[in-house]
Amino acid sequence: MNNKLVMTDFIVFGIYFVLLAAYGYMIYRKKKKQETSATHDFFLAEGSLTWWAIGASLIASNISAEQFIGMSGDGFFVGTAVAAYEWIAAIALIIIAVWFMPVYLKNKIYTMPQFLKTRYNESVALIMAVFWLFLYVFVNLTSILYLGAVAINGLAGGEYLHFIMIALAVMGLIITLGGMKVIGFTDVLQVGVLILGGLATTYLALTKVSESFGLGHDAIAGLKMLFKDSPDHFKMILSKPDSGTVSAALAGDAASQNYINKYLLLPGITMYFAGQWIVNLNYWGCNQYITQRALGADLKTARTGILFAAFLKLMMPIIVMLPGIAAYVLHRNGGLEGFNGVKDTAYSSVLAFLPEGLKGLSVAALTAAIVASLAGKLNSISTIFTLDVYKKYLNKEADENKQVWVGRLTVLVAMILAIAFTWKDLLGIGGEGGFTFIQKYTGFISPGVFAMFILGMFWKRTTGTAAVAGLLTGFLLAIFFNSYAINIFGTETLLYTAFPNGKGAYEIPFQINMGWSFFFTMLVMIVLSLVGKGGEQKAFVLDKAMFKVQPIHTVMIVAILLIITALYAYLW
């Protein structure tokens, strides 16, 4: 098993970089010749992104090192149950396309803080603008950069972490400084490389499984062997641990504790009534980083692009999850020499089997995902700071060219901060694991944010006071359920069941925490809005015609739902 890249791999990777840079420069030159609004062109690429560019950009920005490393690792640990994050996301994208985008586009919403100002008041918008800036810089941007550098460094021999970190940062900056149009269209190339390299990795992993069991060089035979060897890894719904399993875990049984840890991560059918929807609807519908791709388009183009992204989400588990399951099967049957069994190294262990050239293509796919995510996150940081902070509070007279230059300076400062905090991993991302790091900090705020948006869109009575109270309530409840509920109410209540986490304490599954935090936050906001006044004055005007979908969109939606239904029926 060879973990190092050779010259052929570097050549393939170099070709990818040259193509990306050349294509981005071509888009940038073409863009400069067009007569468009400077700010809308830089921040939103207004009217210039096609549906396929929007869809590809959504996926390129979403799939990054935390998916390749984290989700592959969870595939190694749990199996297909982790695919819920991708397949429920596809349904969430349908909801966003049909119901959220008409509200945004009808009311000419370009940023999420602008939505909050228009619907509530400036205080709510400013609070959230500052929060999002801190979250995007110190949680998302840092984790993407750190995880990506660590992953690629492991494949390059383990001696180039800081060099790779700088290289990723520079590539992200080059694309971002060209504006959203350059990001959007280069993301098409990025997604192409991501899918091609990802599928190549999955194919080689499956053929390696096939060879290990004496079945020849046959990927389909390898896939069948995964099902045969580890049927427990092909269950979408984990059953709740019974009292016997809990007692065995407390008595020191490693297998029982291992199963409980899986359930804590993906708590069976209950997560489909709780956190899974909040995570996905908040991420895809209330997140500047994501919605920005579609906010500059007309409704038909935006909807088609978002539904195209939903189709792409259906295949993402093949790329980011199956290699992890293959690594699990190989490892338990002695086919991964030198592998330490740590789940977050599962994907890189599979890459080690790839032949020269293909390993370079897979690294290019991983790099494409990282660079696209960095560029998208940087553009969102730039957009929020420039349009929602600088223009509104620091320099109200700034013209469009000055706003673009402030946006570019913001991009540079954000990346410098990210490098400074990841250089020696000051935030402890490596210790917690990137996927856990992101979920931990975004999960505390997601219930309150999503409650603000969903009530603000579709219930006229919702007030600004209720919005602020909801944000604080969601945050405090998330902390309460995570850290204090068990000590006060015990391990078994009508609301939750807590399980031993193998570290000497009990824990409530975080998706259950999120679900109850959201429920009580909604309750608080509804009560405050009913007793308060003024919500109707700033409510959005809604009409049924806004939500009517065209036949092509109906066909796409039905196809997506049928595929997901078939997948769940087969893997239940």
Side-chain angles (χ1 to χ4, degrees):
M1 190 166 69
N2 181 16
N3 283 308
K4 294 189 176 182
L5 303 178
V6 298
M7 183 56 65
T8 308
D9 298 313
F10 285 111
I11 292 173
V12 171
F13 183 83
I15 292 172
Y16 151 72
F17 179 78
V18 170
L19 286 174
L20 178 66
Y23 184 55
Y25 183 72
M26 181 185 73
I27 297 295
Y28 178 73
R29 293 292 299 174
K30 183 178 180 180
K31 180 190 71 169
K32 288 188 69 175
K33 296 177 182 179
Q34 297 174 346
E35 295 294 330
T36 56
S37 164
T39 53
H40 285 174
D41 182 69
F42 182 78
F43 297 113
L44 295 166
E46 186 173 25
S48 62
L49 290 185
T50 60
W51 63 265
W52 44 269
I54 290 171
S57 189
L58 284 170
I59 297 303
S61 298
N62 167 241
I63 302 297
S64 189
E66 67 265 26
Q67 271 76 27
F68 272 100
I69 306 304
M71 189 166 287
S72 183
D74 286 338
F76 176 91
F77 180 53
V78 182
T80 57
V82 75
Y85 280 102
E86 302 299 300
W87 293 338
I88 297 302
I91 301 177
L93 283 166
I94 293 174
I95 296 171
I96 304 307
V98 175
W99 286 287
F100 283 40
M101 288 313 300
V103 177
Y104 289 145
L105 297 179
K106 175 81 171 180
N107 294 278
K108 300 186 185 303
I109 300 298
Y110 299 124
T111 71
M112 296 301 97
Q114 181 200 350
F115 171 93
L116 297 174
K117 177 188 174 183
T118 303
R119 180 59 183 84
Y120 296 118
N121 54 57
E122 285 201 13
S123 297
V124 176
L126 182 60
I127 289 170
M128 288 308 301
V130 173
F131 166 76
W132 272 316
L133 287 172
F134 273 89
L135 181 72
Y136 288 171
V137 173
F138 295 107
V139 176
N140 298 107
L141 196 63
T142 52
S143 60
I144 292 168
L145 184 62
Y146 179 80
L147 278 176
V150 168
I152 297 174
N153 181 54
L155 294 166
E159 302 172 355
Y160 309 100
L161 177 65
H162 294 128
F163 173 79
I164 293 170
M165 194 178 290
I166 294 296
L168 290 173
V170 169
M171 292 172 72
L173 283 172
I174 289 173
I175 294 174
T176 310
L177 293 175
M180 178 51 75
K181 184 174 181 180
V182 174
I183 293 172
F185 281 104
T186 54
D187 277 351
V188 176
L189 178 61
Q190 306 266 49
V191 164
V193 174
L194 186 157
I195 292 175
L196 184 61
L199 288 176
T201 302
T202 301
Y203 175 81
L204 267 297
L206 293 176
T207 56
K208 180 62 180 178
V209 172
S210 175
E211 291 172 353
S212 296
F213 285 89
L215 302 175
H217 195 76
D218 187 341
I220 300 300
L223 180 61
K224 291 178 179 178
M225 181 52 65
L226 296 186
F227 278 87
K228 181 178 179 181
D229 182 82
S230 301
D232 59 306
H233 269 55
F234 290 91
K235 300 292 183 184
M236 288 300 300
I237 310 297
L238 301 180
S239 59
K240 183 178 178 179
D242 55 29
S243 58
T245 303
V246 173
S247 298
L250 291 172
D253 182 62
S256 297
Q257 185 60 60
N258 190 56
Y259 183 78
I260 291 174
N261 290 342
K262 293 178 181 180
Y263 190 82
L264 287 170
L265 179 67
L266 296 161
I269 194 69
T270 56
M271 72 178 181
Y272 293 94
F273 298 96
Q276 192 62 234
W277 291 104
I278 299 163
V279 167
N280 277 298
L281 288 171
N282 180 63
Y283 178 84
W284 292 101
C286 314
N287 183 352
Q288 180 74 29
Y289 173 52
I290 293 299
T291 56
Q292 192 164 341
R293 273 100 184 116
L295 293 180
D298 60 82
L299 182 57
K300 180 182 179 181
T301 303
R303 273 181 170 162
T304 308
I306 292 170
L307 293 175
F308 174 54
F311 272 108
L312 293 177
K313 288 299 282 182
L314 296 179
M315 67 180 295
M316 285 303 112
I318 299 173
I319 293 173
V320 299
M321 179 195 68
L322 268 184
I325 299 177
Y328 173 79
V329 171
L330 288 169
H331 176 58
R332 70 177 297 204
N333 289 281
L336 277 182
E337 296 178 10
F339 177 54
N340 57 11
V342 177
K343 66 177 186 176
D344 280 351
T345 62
Y347 191 79
S348 58
S349 71
V350 170
L351 289 184
F353 289 114
L354 300 183
E356 295 180 11
L358 272 181
K359 192 182 295 182
L361 179 62
S362 294
V363 173
L366 180 58
T367 304
I370 296 163
V371 171
S373 293
L374 287 174
K377 189 63 68 180
L378 286 168
N379 188 269
S380 296
I381 292 166
S382 173
T383 301
I384 290 176
F385 178 79
T386 305
L387 301 185
D388 294 301
V389 178
Y390 177 77
K391 175 66 175 174
K392 284 185 172 63
Y393 301 102
L394 301 179
N395 188 356
K396 295 182 179 180
E397 306 302 320
D399 60 24
E400 292 199 349
N401 286 331
K402 188 163 189 178
Q403 289 177 60
V404 170
W405 278 107
V406 168
R408 287 175 173 151
L409 180 61
T410 303
V411 165
L412 184 61
V413 171
M415 186 55 84
I416 291 172
L417 284 172
I419 293 172
F421 278 85
T422 55
W423 196 259
K424 292 187 177 181
D425 192 18
L426 297 180
L427 300 173
I429 301 169
E432 293 197 54
F435 190 74
T436 303
F437 180 80
I438 293 173
Q439 293 297 324
K440 176 180 177 180
Y441 289 100
T442 58
F444 285 138
I445 203 73
S446 293
V449 172
F450 183 56
M452 278 198 308
F453 272 80
I454 196 74
L455 287 177
M457 282 188 194
F458 301 112
W459 192 44
K460 293 181 179 181
R461 287 289 298 269
T462 315
T463 65
T465 300
V468 174
L471 180 65
L472 294 174
T473 301
F475 179 69
L476 293 175
L477 283 173
I479 293 176
F480 173 76
F481 279 114
N482 184 71
S483 303
Y484 301 104
I486 297 172
N487 294 332
I488 297 173
F489 299 117
T491 60
E492 185 75 42
T493 72
L494 290 175
L495 299 184
Y496 64 79
T497 299
F499 300 94
N501 60 11
K503 301 176 183 177
Y506 277 77
E507 187 176 323
I508 307 168
F510 83 90
Q511 293 202 45
I512 306 302
N513 291 346
M514 197 178 296
W516 284 118
S517 298
F518 175 72
F519 174 81
F520 288 115
T521 297
M522 290 281 284
L523 193 62
V524 167
M525 289 185 65
I526 290 170
V527 170
L528 288 177
S529 295
L530 287 173
V531 300
K533 296 181 180 179
E536 296 92 338
Q537 297 174 5
K538 304 201 75 175
F540 294 123
V541 177
L542 306 178
D543 61 78
K544 291 183 179 179
M546 291 171 57
F547 306 109
K548 185 178 180 180
V549 296
Q550 297 187 2
I552 182 63
H553 297 144
T554 301
V555 171
M556 295 175 76
I557 290 169
V558 171
I560 292 165
L561 293 177
L562 285 175
I563 293 171
I564 293 173
T565 301
L567 288 168
Y568 269 85
Y570 186 73
L571 296 170
W572 188 273

